[in-house]
Amino acid sequence: MTDTYLNLVNSGFTKKIAQQLGLPRPAVLRRFRPGQPLLDGPVLVLGSGADADTVARILSGTSRAAAGTAGTDGVIDPASTIPGWDLDVRRDPAAGDRYAGVVLVLTEVAHPDDLAEPVLALGSVLKALPAHARIVTISRPATADEGPATAAARQGVDSILRSVAKELRAGATGNGVVVADGVPVTAPSVLGGLRFFLSTRSAFVDGQLLDVDTDGGALPLDWERPLDGRVAVVTGAARGIGAAIAATLARDGATVVTVDVPAAGEQLAAVANRVRGTALQLDVTAPDAGTRILEHALARHGRLDIVVHNAGIVRDKLLANMTPDRWGSIIAVNIAAQLRINEQLLTSGDFTNEPRIVALASTSGIAGNRGQTNYAASKGGVIGMVRATAPLLTAFGGTANAVAPGFIETDMTAKIPPVTRQVARRLNSLQQGGQPIDVAETVAFLASPQAGGIVGHVLRVCGQNLVGQ
Ligand code: NAI
Protein backbone atom coordinates (compact mmCIF):
# COMPACT_ATOMS: atom_id res chain seq x y z
CA MET A 1 0.00 0.00 0.00
CA THR A 2 1.42 3.41 -1.01
CA ASP A 3 1.37 6.39 1.35
CA THR A 4 0.62 9.11 -1.23
CA TYR A 5 0.81 11.94 1.31
CA LEU A 6 4.32 10.92 2.42
CA ASN A 7 5.47 10.83 -1.20
CA LEU A 8 3.91 14.23 -2.00
CA VAL A 9 5.46 16.10 0.94
CA ASN A 10 8.87 14.72 0.04
CA SER A 11 9.01 15.49 -3.65
CA GLY A 12 9.61 18.60 -5.75
CA PHE A 13 6.92 21.23 -6.03
CA THR A 14 4.49 19.67 -3.53
CA LYS A 15 7.29 19.51 -0.95
CA LYS A 16 7.65 23.31 -1.19
CA ILE A 17 3.90 23.82 -0.79
CA ALA A 18 3.82 21.56 2.25
CA GLN A 19 6.71 23.55 3.74
CA GLN A 20 4.92 26.87 3.12
CA LEU A 21 1.68 25.59 4.64
CA GLY A 22 3.50 24.17 7.65
CA LEU A 23 2.03 20.70 7.03
CA PRO A 24 3.53 17.74 8.89
CA ARG A 25 6.26 16.20 6.75
CA PRO A 26 7.01 12.58 7.66
CA ALA A 27 10.53 11.64 6.54
CA VAL A 28 11.29 8.88 4.06
CA LEU A 29 12.96 6.47 6.48
CA ARG A 30 16.43 5.15 5.68
CA ARG A 31 16.40 1.36 5.68
CA PHE A 32 19.11 -1.27 5.87
CA ARG A 33 21.16 -2.34 2.85
CA PRO A 34 23.94 -4.93 3.20
CA GLY A 35 27.33 -3.26 3.22
CA GLN A 36 25.96 0.00 4.61
CA PRO A 37 28.11 1.52 7.41
CA LEU A 38 26.57 1.18 10.88
CA LEU A 39 26.52 4.97 11.31
CA ASP A 40 27.23 7.79 8.87
CA GLY A 41 29.13 9.99 11.30
CA PRO A 42 30.57 10.22 14.81
CA VAL A 43 28.84 8.73 17.83
CA LEU A 44 28.79 10.50 21.19
CA VAL A 45 28.96 8.24 24.25
CA LEU A 46 27.66 10.01 27.36
CA GLY A 47 27.85 8.78 30.95
CA SER A 48 30.74 8.74 33.36
CA GLY A 49 31.04 5.27 34.94
CA ALA A 50 33.07 2.20 34.02
CA ASP A 51 30.21 0.89 31.87
CA ALA A 52 30.33 4.01 29.69
CA ASP A 53 34.08 3.52 29.22
CA THR A 54 33.55 -0.12 28.26
CA VAL A 55 30.84 0.71 25.73
CA ALA A 56 32.95 3.52 24.26
CA ARG A 57 35.91 1.14 23.92
CA ILE A 58 33.88 -1.49 22.07
CA LEU A 59 32.30 1.08 19.74
CA SER A 60 35.65 2.65 18.89
CA GLY A 61 37.71 -0.57 18.80
CA THR A 62 38.91 -2.28 15.67
CA SER A 63 36.76 -5.07 14.23
CA ARG A 64 39.76 -7.38 13.84
CA ALA A 65 39.50 -10.21 16.41
CA ALA A 66 40.89 -8.78 19.63
CA ALA A 67 43.37 -10.84 21.66
CA GLY A 68 42.45 -9.04 24.86
CA THR A 69 44.52 -6.88 27.14
CA ALA A 70 45.57 -7.74 30.66
CA GLY A 71 44.88 -5.42 33.57
CA THR A 72 47.52 -4.55 36.23
CA ASP A 73 46.60 -7.83 37.98
CA GLY A 74 47.54 -9.75 34.83
CA VAL A 75 43.96 -10.92 34.23
CA ILE A 76 42.56 -10.39 30.73
CA ASP A 77 39.60 -8.03 30.76
CA PRO A 78 36.80 -9.99 28.96
CA ALA A 79 35.47 -6.73 27.43
CA SER A 80 38.82 -6.22 25.69
CA THR A 81 38.39 -9.50 23.74
CA ILE A 82 35.22 -8.27 22.01
CA PRO A 83 35.87 -7.10 18.43
CA GLY A 84 35.20 -3.38 18.09
CA TRP A 85 32.76 -1.62 15.75
CA ASP A 86 35.18 0.80 14.08
CA LEU A 87 33.07 3.84 14.97
CA ASP A 88 34.31 7.41 15.40
CA VAL A 89 33.56 7.78 19.13
CA ARG A 90 33.51 11.10 21.03
CA ARG A 91 33.09 11.40 24.80
CA ASP A 92 32.33 15.13 25.20
CA PRO A 93 29.89 17.17 23.17
CA ALA A 94 31.66 19.74 21.02
CA ALA A 95 30.04 22.77 19.41
CA GLY A 96 29.56 22.24 15.70
CA ASP A 97 29.75 18.44 15.80
CA ARG A 98 26.84 16.55 14.22
CA TYR A 99 26.45 13.16 15.82
CA ALA A 100 24.91 10.31 13.83
CA GLY A 101 24.33 8.55 17.15
CA VAL A 102 24.28 9.36 20.85
CA VAL A 103 24.58 6.53 23.40
CA LEU A 104 23.76 7.38 27.01
CA VAL A 105 25.17 4.79 29.39
CA LEU A 106 23.15 5.36 32.55
CA THR A 107 23.51 1.99 34.28
CA GLU A 108 25.11 3.58 37.33
CA VAL A 109 22.57 6.31 38.18
CA ALA A 110 21.55 6.07 41.85
CA HIS A 111 19.50 9.25 42.35
CA PRO A 112 17.44 11.52 40.09
CA ASP A 113 20.14 14.16 40.65
CA ASP A 114 22.52 11.97 38.62
CA LEU A 115 20.43 12.44 35.47
CA ALA A 116 20.96 16.16 34.88
CA GLU A 117 24.52 16.08 33.53
CA PRO A 118 24.23 13.38 30.85
CA VAL A 119 20.68 14.29 29.85
CA LEU A 120 21.41 18.01 29.49
CA ALA A 121 24.52 17.09 27.50
CA LEU A 122 22.21 15.16 25.18
CA GLY A 123 19.94 18.20 25.00
CA SER A 124 22.88 20.38 23.94
CA VAL A 125 23.46 18.33 20.76
CA LEU A 126 19.86 17.67 19.70
CA LYS A 127 19.50 20.71 17.44
CA ALA A 128 22.52 19.63 15.41
CA LEU A 129 21.48 16.00 14.94
CA PRO A 130 21.46 14.96 11.28
CA ALA A 131 18.44 13.23 9.72
CA HIS A 132 18.03 9.56 10.73
CA ALA A 133 20.19 10.03 13.85
CA ARG A 134 19.98 7.44 16.62
CA ILE A 135 19.72 7.96 20.37
CA VAL A 136 20.09 4.88 22.58
CA THR A 137 20.01 4.68 26.37
CA ILE A 138 21.53 1.78 28.29
CA SER A 139 20.13 1.56 31.80
CA ARG A 140 18.98 -0.79 34.58
CA PRO A 141 15.39 -1.73 35.49
CA ALA A 142 13.62 0.20 38.26
CA THR A 143 13.11 -2.75 40.57
CA ALA A 144 12.65 -2.38 44.34
CA ASP A 145 16.00 -4.13 45.03
CA GLU A 146 18.28 -1.09 44.93
CA GLY A 147 16.05 1.22 47.00
CA PRO A 148 13.71 4.14 46.23
CA ALA A 149 16.26 6.71 45.00
CA THR A 150 17.83 4.33 42.49
CA ALA A 151 14.42 3.12 41.30
CA ALA A 152 13.33 6.74 40.86
CA ALA A 153 16.39 7.55 38.76
CA ARG A 154 16.09 4.41 36.67
CA GLN A 155 12.38 4.85 35.99
CA GLY A 156 13.18 8.43 35.06
CA VAL A 157 15.51 7.18 32.32
CA ASP A 158 12.65 5.26 30.66
CA SER A 159 10.42 8.31 30.69
CA ILE A 160 13.19 10.62 29.44
CA LEU A 161 13.83 8.25 26.54
CA ARG A 162 10.15 8.09 25.60
CA SER A 163 9.90 11.88 25.77
CA VAL A 164 13.05 12.56 23.75
CA ALA A 165 11.87 10.13 21.07
CA LYS A 166 8.75 12.29 20.71
CA GLU A 167 10.89 15.41 20.18
CA LEU A 168 13.04 13.98 17.39
CA ARG A 169 12.44 14.80 13.74
CA ALA A 170 13.55 13.76 10.25
CA GLY A 171 13.52 10.00 10.78
CA ALA A 172 15.66 10.11 13.93
CA THR A 173 14.72 7.59 16.64
CA GLY A 174 15.29 7.03 20.36
CA ASN A 175 15.26 3.61 22.01
CA GLY A 176 16.68 2.03 25.15
CA VAL A 177 18.26 -1.20 26.34
CA VAL A 178 17.32 -2.07 29.94
CA VAL A 179 19.86 -4.49 31.38
CA ALA A 180 18.96 -6.68 34.37
CA ASP A 181 21.13 -6.17 37.46
CA GLY A 182 24.06 -8.55 37.40
CA VAL A 183 24.20 -8.72 33.60
CA PRO A 184 27.27 -6.89 32.21
CA VAL A 185 26.96 -4.28 29.47
CA THR A 186 29.17 -6.54 27.37
CA ALA A 187 26.45 -9.27 27.31
CA PRO A 188 25.59 -10.32 23.72
CA SER A 189 22.03 -9.02 23.91
CA VAL A 190 23.08 -5.63 25.29
CA LEU A 191 25.51 -5.15 22.40
CA GLY A 192 23.09 -6.81 19.97
CA GLY A 193 20.25 -4.53 21.11
CA LEU A 194 22.47 -1.45 20.99
CA ARG A 195 23.64 -2.27 17.48
CA PHE A 196 20.09 -2.99 16.29
CA PHE A 197 18.87 0.36 17.61
CA LEU A 198 21.84 2.26 16.14
CA SER A 199 21.37 0.65 12.74
CA THR A 200 18.86 1.33 9.98
CA ARG A 201 17.38 -2.12 10.70
CA SER A 202 15.30 -0.44 13.41
CA ALA A 203 14.02 2.40 11.17
CA PHE A 204 10.39 2.12 12.41
CA VAL A 205 11.19 1.12 16.03
CA ASP A 206 10.92 4.25 18.15
CA GLY A 207 10.46 5.08 21.83
CA GLN A 208 10.92 1.45 22.88
CA LEU A 209 12.75 -0.14 25.79
CA LEU A 210 14.22 -3.57 25.24
CA ASP A 211 14.72 -5.75 28.32
CA VAL A 212 17.84 -7.89 28.51
CA ASP A 213 17.46 -10.52 31.22
CA THR A 214 20.56 -12.69 30.96
CA ASP A 215 24.01 -12.79 29.39
CA GLY A 216 22.84 -15.71 27.22
CA GLY A 217 23.28 -15.83 23.47
CA ALA A 218 26.41 -15.06 21.49
CA LEU A 219 27.81 -12.31 19.31
CA PRO A 220 27.63 -13.33 15.65
CA LEU A 221 30.83 -13.98 13.72
CA ASP A 222 29.43 -11.80 10.96
CA TRP A 223 26.96 -9.03 11.92
CA GLU A 224 25.53 -9.08 8.39
CA ARG A 225 24.82 -12.83 8.41
CA PRO A 226 23.99 -13.72 12.01
CA LEU A 227 21.69 -16.58 10.93
CA ASP A 228 24.23 -18.49 8.84
CA GLY A 229 23.59 -22.22 9.10
CA ARG A 230 20.20 -21.85 10.83
CA VAL A 231 16.91 -23.26 9.52
CA ALA A 232 13.78 -21.14 10.02
CA VAL A 233 10.06 -21.66 9.47
CA VAL A 234 7.80 -18.70 8.73
CA THR A 235 4.01 -19.19 8.77
CA GLY A 236 1.76 -16.98 6.66
CA ALA A 237 4.72 -16.37 4.34
CA ALA A 238 2.85 -16.07 1.01
CA ARG A 239 2.51 -12.30 1.25
CA GLY A 240 2.77 -9.17 3.39
CA ILE A 241 4.83 -9.24 6.54
CA GLY A 242 5.43 -13.01 6.34
CA ALA A 243 6.99 -12.76 2.86
CA ALA A 244 9.24 -9.93 4.10
CA ILE A 245 10.28 -12.00 7.13
CA ALA A 246 11.18 -14.95 4.89
CA ALA A 247 13.32 -12.69 2.66
CA THR A 248 15.02 -11.01 5.62
CA LEU A 249 15.89 -14.24 7.43
CA ALA A 250 17.31 -15.60 4.15
CA ARG A 251 19.33 -12.39 3.63
CA ASP A 252 20.75 -12.85 7.13
CA GLY A 253 21.90 -16.37 6.28
CA ALA A 254 19.03 -18.70 7.24
CA THR A 255 17.50 -21.44 5.11
CA VAL A 256 13.77 -20.75 5.16
CA VAL A 257 10.72 -23.02 5.09
CA THR A 258 7.71 -20.95 4.01
CA VAL A 259 4.25 -22.04 5.20
CA ASP A 260 0.82 -20.87 4.10
CA VAL A 261 -2.66 -22.23 3.33
CA PRO A 262 -3.06 -24.31 0.13
CA ALA A 263 -5.21 -21.55 -1.40
CA ALA A 264 -2.12 -19.30 -1.40
CA GLY A 265 0.06 -22.06 -2.89
CA GLU A 266 1.15 -20.21 -6.01
CA GLN A 267 2.22 -17.06 -4.14
CA LEU A 268 3.90 -19.25 -1.55
CA ALA A 269 5.95 -21.10 -4.16
CA ALA A 270 7.07 -17.76 -5.62
CA VAL A 271 8.26 -16.56 -2.20
CA ALA A 272 10.02 -19.87 -1.50
CA ASN A 273 11.82 -19.64 -4.85
CA ARG A 274 12.84 -16.04 -4.23
CA VAL A 275 14.42 -16.89 -0.89
CA ARG A 276 15.85 -20.21 -2.18
CA GLY A 277 13.91 -22.04 0.51
CA THR A 278 11.13 -24.62 0.44
CA ALA A 279 7.33 -24.30 0.60
CA LEU A 280 4.95 -26.24 2.82
CA GLN A 281 1.24 -25.81 2.11
CA LEU A 282 -0.37 -26.13 5.49
CA ASP A 283 -3.20 -24.61 7.48
CA VAL A 284 -1.60 -23.81 10.84
CA THR A 285 -4.83 -24.83 12.60
CA ALA A 286 -4.36 -28.47 11.48
CA PRO A 287 -4.11 -30.66 14.60
CA ASP A 288 -0.70 -32.00 13.54
CA ALA A 289 0.71 -28.71 12.13
CA GLY A 290 3.74 -28.67 14.47
CA THR A 291 4.68 -32.24 13.64
CA ARG A 292 4.33 -31.62 9.90
CA ILE A 293 6.46 -28.47 10.08
CA LEU A 294 9.17 -30.35 11.95
CA GLU A 295 9.05 -33.36 9.60
CA HIS A 296 9.38 -31.08 6.57
CA ALA A 297 12.29 -29.12 8.05
CA LEU A 298 14.18 -32.25 9.13
CA ALA A 299 13.56 -34.10 5.85
CA ARG A 300 14.51 -31.18 3.58
CA HIS A 301 17.06 -29.28 5.64
CA GLY A 302 18.19 -31.59 8.45
CA ARG A 303 17.26 -29.31 11.37
CA LEU A 304 14.92 -26.66 12.73
CA ASP A 305 16.15 -23.71 14.80
CA ILE A 306 13.74 -20.79 14.38
CA VAL A 307 9.94 -20.66 14.25
CA VAL A 308 8.18 -17.43 13.32
CA HIS A 309 4.45 -17.49 14.07
CA ASN A 310 3.29 -14.84 11.62
CA ALA A 311 0.06 -16.28 10.12
CA GLY A 312 -2.81 -14.16 11.39
CA ILE A 313 -6.26 -12.95 10.43
CA VAL A 314 -8.72 -10.20 11.43
CA ARG A 315 -12.53 -10.47 11.75
CA ASP A 316 -13.42 -7.08 13.29
CA LYS A 317 -16.82 -6.48 14.94
CA LEU A 318 -17.95 -4.52 17.96
CA LEU A 319 -18.38 -6.94 20.85
CA ALA A 320 -22.14 -6.22 20.88
CA ASN A 321 -22.31 -7.72 17.36
CA MET A 322 -19.68 -10.43 17.78
CA THR A 323 -20.54 -13.92 16.51
CA PRO A 324 -19.09 -17.22 17.76
CA ASP A 325 -17.64 -17.79 14.29
CA ARG A 326 -15.77 -14.46 14.21
CA TRP A 327 -14.50 -15.01 17.72
CA GLY A 328 -13.53 -18.65 17.28
CA SER A 329 -11.68 -18.34 13.96
CA ILE A 330 -9.45 -15.56 15.32
CA ILE A 331 -8.52 -17.47 18.45
CA ALA A 332 -7.93 -20.64 16.40
CA VAL A 333 -5.53 -19.08 13.86
CA ASN A 334 -3.85 -16.32 15.89
CA ILE A 335 -3.07 -18.08 19.15
CA ALA A 336 -4.43 -21.63 19.61
CA ALA A 337 -2.45 -22.84 16.56
CA GLN A 338 0.75 -21.29 17.95
CA LEU A 339 0.25 -22.98 21.32
CA ARG A 340 -0.34 -26.37 19.68
CA ILE A 341 2.62 -26.06 17.30
CA ASN A 342 4.96 -25.02 20.13
CA GLU A 343 3.86 -27.95 22.26
CA GLN A 344 4.54 -30.41 19.44
CA LEU A 345 7.97 -28.88 18.81
CA LEU A 346 8.92 -28.78 22.48
CA THR A 347 7.97 -32.40 23.11
CA SER A 348 9.65 -33.66 19.92
CA GLY A 349 13.21 -33.58 21.25
CA ASP A 350 14.28 -32.08 17.89
CA PHE A 351 13.92 -28.38 18.74
CA THR A 352 16.79 -28.08 21.18
CA ASN A 353 19.66 -26.29 19.43
CA GLU A 354 19.39 -22.76 20.86
CA PRO A 355 15.86 -22.59 19.46
CA ARG A 356 14.09 -19.31 18.84
CA ILE A 357 10.35 -18.66 18.73
CA VAL A 358 9.25 -15.24 17.49
CA ALA A 359 5.52 -14.57 17.37
CA LEU A 360 3.55 -11.70 15.85
CA ALA A 361 1.50 -9.80 18.42
CA SER A 362 0.00 -6.36 17.76
CA THR A 363 -0.31 -3.01 19.48
CA SER A 364 -4.03 -3.91 19.66
CA GLY A 365 -3.02 -6.72 22.00
CA ILE A 366 -1.34 -4.15 24.28
CA ALA A 367 -3.64 -1.13 24.15
CA GLY A 368 -6.89 -2.73 22.96
CA ASN A 369 -8.78 -1.49 19.94
CA ARG A 370 -12.43 -0.71 19.25
CA GLY A 371 -14.02 -3.50 17.22
CA GLN A 372 -11.18 -5.89 17.95
CA THR A 373 -11.94 -7.72 21.20
CA ASN A 374 -11.37 -11.03 19.41
CA TYR A 375 -8.12 -9.92 17.73
CA ALA A 376 -6.87 -8.19 20.91
CA ALA A 377 -7.59 -11.35 22.92
CA SER A 378 -5.53 -13.40 20.47
CA LYS A 379 -2.64 -10.91 20.29
CA GLY A 380 -2.61 -10.33 24.06
CA GLY A 381 -2.56 -14.13 24.16
CA VAL A 382 0.62 -14.13 22.07
CA ILE A 383 2.31 -11.82 24.59
CA GLY A 384 1.32 -14.10 27.48
CA MET A 385 2.33 -17.16 25.49
CA VAL A 386 5.91 -16.01 24.82
CA ARG A 387 6.36 -14.94 28.44
CA ALA A 388 5.47 -18.45 29.62
CA THR A 389 7.15 -20.32 26.76
CA ALA A 390 10.57 -18.64 27.01
CA PRO A 391 11.46 -20.32 30.34
CA LEU A 392 10.66 -23.71 28.78
CA LEU A 393 13.40 -23.08 26.20
CA THR A 394 16.17 -21.75 28.44
CA ALA A 395 17.50 -25.25 29.19
CA PHE A 396 18.38 -25.48 25.47
CA GLY A 397 19.75 -21.93 25.21
CA GLY A 398 16.52 -20.87 23.52
CA THR A 399 14.11 -17.96 23.85
CA ALA A 400 10.60 -16.93 22.82
CA ASN A 401 9.68 -13.30 22.16
CA ALA A 402 7.00 -11.31 20.39
CA VAL A 403 6.98 -8.43 17.96
CA ALA A 404 4.02 -6.05 18.14
CA PRO A 405 3.57 -4.11 14.91
CA GLY A 406 1.58 -0.90 14.89
CA PHE A 407 0.21 0.28 11.55
CA ILE A 408 2.05 -1.55 8.76
CA GLU A 409 1.30 -1.02 5.04
CA THR A 410 -0.04 -4.44 3.93
CA ASP A 411 -3.12 -6.02 2.31
CA MET A 412 -4.55 -6.33 5.83
CA THR A 413 -4.43 -2.58 6.52
CA ALA A 414 -5.40 -1.68 2.93
CA LYS A 415 -8.90 -2.90 3.86
CA ILE A 416 -9.27 -0.17 6.53
CA PRO A 417 -11.63 2.64 5.33
CA PRO A 418 -9.56 5.52 3.77
CA VAL A 419 -10.12 8.22 6.40
CA THR A 420 -9.49 5.88 9.34
CA ARG A 421 -6.40 4.61 7.51
CA GLN A 422 -4.98 8.14 7.05
CA VAL A 423 -5.47 8.91 10.74
CA ALA A 424 -4.03 5.57 11.87
CA ARG A 425 -0.89 6.17 9.79
CA ARG A 426 -0.09 9.54 11.33
CA LEU A 427 -0.67 8.64 14.98
CA ASN A 428 2.96 7.94 15.80
CA SER A 429 6.16 9.90 16.28
CA LEU A 430 7.36 9.11 12.73
CA GLN A 431 3.95 10.17 11.31
CA GLN A 432 3.68 7.25 8.88
CA GLY A 433 2.89 3.56 8.60
CA GLY A 434 5.71 1.05 8.74
CA GLN A 435 6.70 -1.30 5.93
CA PRO A 436 6.68 -5.11 6.19
CA ILE A 437 10.49 -4.99 6.14
CA ASP A 438 10.47 -3.05 9.43
CA VAL A 439 8.67 -5.87 11.21
CA ALA A 440 10.89 -8.41 9.44
CA GLU A 441 14.10 -6.73 10.65
CA THR A 442 12.91 -6.90 14.26
CA VAL A 443 11.88 -10.55 13.89
CA ALA A 444 15.32 -11.31 12.42
CA PHE A 445 17.02 -9.58 15.35
CA LEU A 446 15.01 -11.56 17.92
CA ALA A 447 15.79 -14.79 16.02
CA SER A 448 19.52 -14.06 16.04
CA PRO A 449 22.19 -15.45 18.42
CA GLN A 450 22.76 -11.97 19.85
CA ALA A 451 19.17 -11.89 21.16
CA GLY A 452 19.67 -14.97 23.35
CA GLY A 453 19.45 -12.94 26.56
CA ILE A 454 16.00 -11.50 25.78
CA VAL A 455 13.57 -13.84 27.48
CA GLY A 456 9.84 -13.64 26.86
CA HIS A 457 9.35 -9.98 25.92
CA VAL A 458 7.50 -7.98 23.33
CA LEU A 459 9.16 -5.37 21.14
CA ARG A 460 6.91 -2.88 19.37
CA VAL A 461 7.49 -1.85 15.76
CA CYS A 462 5.11 1.06 15.65
CA GLY A 463 7.05 4.32 15.20
CA GLN A 464 6.12 5.11 18.83
CA ASN A 465 2.41 4.79 18.24
CA LEU A 466 0.48 6.97 20.63
CA VAL A 467 -1.69 4.09 21.84
CA GLY A 468 -0.80 2.01 24.87
CA GLN A 469 2.45 2.12 26.79
P1 NAI B 1 -1.79 -10.62 5.56
O1 NAI B 1 -3.25 -10.87 5.66
O2 NAI B 1 -1.29 -9.75 4.46
O3 NAI B 1 -1.01 -12.03 5.48
C1 NAI B 1 -1.29 -13.08 6.38
C2 NAI B 1 -0.86 -14.39 5.77
O4 NAI B 1 -1.22 -15.44 6.69
C3 NAI B 1 -1.60 -14.69 4.46
O5 NAI B 1 -0.68 -15.11 3.47
C4 NAI B 1 -2.57 -15.79 4.84
O6 NAI B 1 -2.86 -16.69 3.77
C5 NAI B 1 -1.79 -16.49 5.97
N1 NAI B 1 -2.70 -17.28 6.81
C6 NAI B 1 -3.88 -16.90 7.31
N2 NAI B 1 -4.45 -17.93 7.98
C7 NAI B 1 -3.60 -18.97 7.88
C8 NAI B 1 -3.63 -20.31 8.35
N3 NAI B 1 -4.69 -20.78 9.04
N4 NAI B 1 -2.59 -21.13 8.07
C9 NAI B 1 -1.52 -20.67 7.35
N5 NAI B 1 -1.45 -19.41 6.88
C10 NAI B 1 -2.47 -18.57 7.14
O7 NAI B 1 -1.34 -10.08 6.98
P2 NAI B 1 -0.10 -9.16 7.40
O8 NAI B 1 -0.54 -7.75 7.45
O9 NAI B 1 1.09 -9.51 6.59
O10 NAI B 1 0.09 -9.62 8.92
C11 NAI B 1 1.01 -10.64 9.32
C12 NAI B 1 0.95 -10.76 10.85
O11 NAI B 1 1.22 -9.50 11.44
C13 NAI B 1 -0.42 -11.19 11.37
O12 NAI B 1 -0.25 -12.06 12.47
C14 NAI B 1 -1.03 -9.88 11.81
O13 NAI B 1 -2.01 -10.07 12.81
C15 NAI B 1 0.18 -9.15 12.34
N6 NAI B 1 0.00 -7.71 12.39
C16 NAI B 1 -0.14 -6.96 11.24
C17 NAI B 1 -0.31 -5.59 11.34
C18 NAI B 1 -0.45 -4.72 10.14
O14 NAI B 1 -0.55 -3.50 10.30
N7 NAI B 1 -0.44 -5.25 8.91
C19 NAI B 1 -0.35 -4.90 12.63
C20 NAI B 1 -0.19 -5.78 13.75
C21 NAI B 1 -0.02 -7.12 13.62
Side-chain angles (χ1 to χ4, degrees):
M1 190 74 203
T2 312
D3 183 346
T4 314
Y5 178 80
L6 182 138
N7 291 339
L8 283 175
V9 297
N10 281 293
S11 50
F13 178 61
T14 42
K15 179 177 173 179
K16 284 209 184 92
I17 295 179
Q19 267 166 338
Q20 280 161 6
L21 294 176
L23 293 175
R25 282 189 302 127
V28 177
L29 301 182
R30 185 182 294 164
R31 294 188 165 88
F32 178 72
R33 295 270 171 276
Q36 193 181 58
L38 178 57
L39 286 173
D40 265 346
V43 56
L44 177 65
V45 177
L46 296 171
S48 52
D51 283 346
D53 294 342
T54 301
V55 169
R57 201 162 62 232
I58 292 169
L59 265 54
S60 63
T62 154
S63 58
R64 284 192 304 274
T69 47
T72 45
D73 52 4
V75 178
I76 300 238
D77 171 8
S80 68
T81 64
I82 296 172
W85 296 1
D86 295 316
L87 294 174
D88 175 4
V89 172
R90 315 284 169 85
R91 295 305 306 273
D92 294 304
D97 277 357
R98 287 165 65 78
Y99 303 105
V102 184
V103 180
L104 287 97
V105 186
L106 302 173
T107 46
E108 289 158 69
V109 293
H111 189 281
D113 285 344
D114 299 342
L115 297 170
E117 193 182 323
V119 174
L120 294 177
L122 169 66
S124 74
V125 304
L126 283 183
K127 283 191 185 139
L129 285 187
H132 314 290
R134 295 287 186 260
I135 292 172
V136 185
T137 55
I138 301 178
S139 60
R140 301 276 183 196
T143 57
D145 302 346
E146 308 295 320
T150 301
R154 291 177 173 187
Q155 192 70 47
V157 174
D158 295 7
S159 306
I160 290 163
L161 183 275
R162 288 197 173 106
S163 303
V164 171
K166 289 182 178 174
E167 294 180 11
L168 298 175
R169 293 287 173 266
T173 63
N175 292 289
V177 182
V178 183
V179 192
D181 284 298
V183 175
V185 292
T186 51
S189 294
V190 179
L191 297 177
L194 171 60
R195 194 168 173 115
F196 175 69
F197 287 145
L198 286 177
S199 76
T200 47
R201 291 176 190 250
S202 60
F204 195 61
V205 183
D206 198 10
Q208 301 307 306
L209 293 152
L210 174 72
D211 285 297
V212 173
D213 309 277
T214 73
D215 61 0
L219 293 175
L221 294 175
D222 178 351
W223 284 105
E224 291 223 335
R225 291 183 65 86
L227 302 179
D228 260 340
R230 310 280 283 167
V231 174
V233 164
V234 182
T235 68
R239 67 178 198 191
I241 293 172
I245 293 170
T248 306
L249 297 183
R251 181 203 67 195
D252 283 359
T255 302
V256 181
V257 176
T258 59
V259 173
D260 213 300
V261 288
E266 216 168 292
Q267 278 175 293
L268 185 69
V271 174
N273 282 343
R274 253 194 332 266
V275 305
R276 295 167 192 267
T278 53
L280 172 63
Q281 294 186 8
L282 173 71
D283 185 328
V284 292
T285 62
D288 60 348
T291 309
R292 286 179 56 193
I293 285 171
L294 189 60
E295 281 172 1
H296 176 102
L298 293 181
R300 301 294 293 274
H301 310 292
R303 56 191 288 165
L304 178 61
D305 308 297
I306 298 162
V307 172
V308 182
H309 291 297
N310 165 77
I313 54 172
V314 280
R315 298 273 186 279
D316 294 358
K317 262 298 175 219
L318 292 176
L319 183 57
N321 303 325
M322 187 63 70
T323 59
D325 172 53
R326 280 178 186 271
W327 184 273
S329 57
I330 291 284
I331 299 295
V333 175
N334 292 6
I335 180 63
Q338 299 188 12
L339 289 165
R340 197 178 312 111
I341 290 170
N342 290 349
E343 198 177 330
Q344 289 167 11
L345 294 178
L346 282 162
T347 53
S348 70
D350 283 316
F351 191 56
T352 53
N353 187 9
E354 296 172 11
R356 292 278 188 281
I357 292 174
V358 186
L360 269 288
S362 163
T363 46
S364 297
I366 297 170
N369 202 8
R370 184 181 148 85
Q372 289 200 320
T373 46
N374 51 355
Y375 186 72
S378 73
K379 294 302 185 179
V382 166
I383 294 169
M385 180 274 285
V386 295
R387 192 184 305 131
T389 302
L392 306 177
L393 295 168
T394 43
F396 314 115
T399 68
N401 290 290
V403 174
F407 184 98
I408 305 297
E409 307 281 356
T410 68
D411 292 347
M412 193 186 257
T413 47
K415 291 186 194 128
I416 298 173
V419 175
T420 317
R421 190 166 67 227
Q422 271 304 337
V423 172
R425 268 185 187 134
R426 309 288 162 228
L427 282 181
N428 63 62
S429 296
L430 296 168
Q431 300 175 319
Q432 59 192 287
Q435 296 295 329
I437 183 68
D438 299 321
V439 182
E441 295 284 10
T442 304
V443 169
F445 165 61
L446 290 172
S448 71
Q450 65 266 28
I454 301 161
V455 184
H457 294 291
V458 50
L459 186 53
R460 291 171 58 149
V461 183
C462 64
Q464 198 175 26
N465 199 312
L466 301 185
V467 299
Q469 291 176 310

